[in-house]
Amino acid sequence: MENYRALASLLGEPRPTDVPHVALDAAWRQEAERLWAGSRHPRVALQPGAAYGPAKRWAAGRFAEVARELGQRGCTVAVVGGTADVAAVRAVREAAPVLDLSGQAPLGVLGALLEAADLVVTNDTGPMHLAAAVGTPTVAIFGSTSRGCGRGRSAIVTGWCSTSCRARRASSGTVGSGTSVWKGSRRRA
């Protein structure tokens, strides 16, 4: 993709951005604020579910640990998820004081909920991409789709991620046992 962009720029075309962006409706933002229920900042949204089974999911107990720690530091922590995430959401909700926003938001409102957060911590999910597209700093935890493959877990800390992230990730540092981290900047629309 980068090669085609470079070729287009040689021909005088403006270089398009690969930063994803989602336009959110004012009504979605109003509903998101209602769901956040006047909570204090910083707000952190956790998305503990993920498709493709447990190999793609960081343990719900780990999300609960994050929720407890952030709550002790004065953050409002909410958990989001869909109908497939009920067990993971319940495990977090039962282990930590969180605002349960799961199953309450159609896609547009979910985007606004994530935009209203100051941070999103998520598995490799659709909401991870949505959080990045609305400009919210995101900690995305990646594991192998196949149990037993790979070493450790990777986390990308970014406001957005695109095909050009690969170069940044390749030069990123490591934290802990096999966990790579790249820090990007927050972009607000």
Side-chain angles (χ1 to χ4, degrees), residues 18-29:
D18 59 353
V19 177
H21 177 73
V22 174
L24 298 172
D25 187 78
W28 297 339
R29 287 186 171 118

Side-chain angles (χ1 to χ4, degrees), residues 4 7 34 52 72 77 88 97 110 125 132 143 155:
Y4 291 118
L7 180 60
R34 186 190 71 73
Y52 303 112
Q72 289 173 1
V77 181
L110 177 60
T125 63

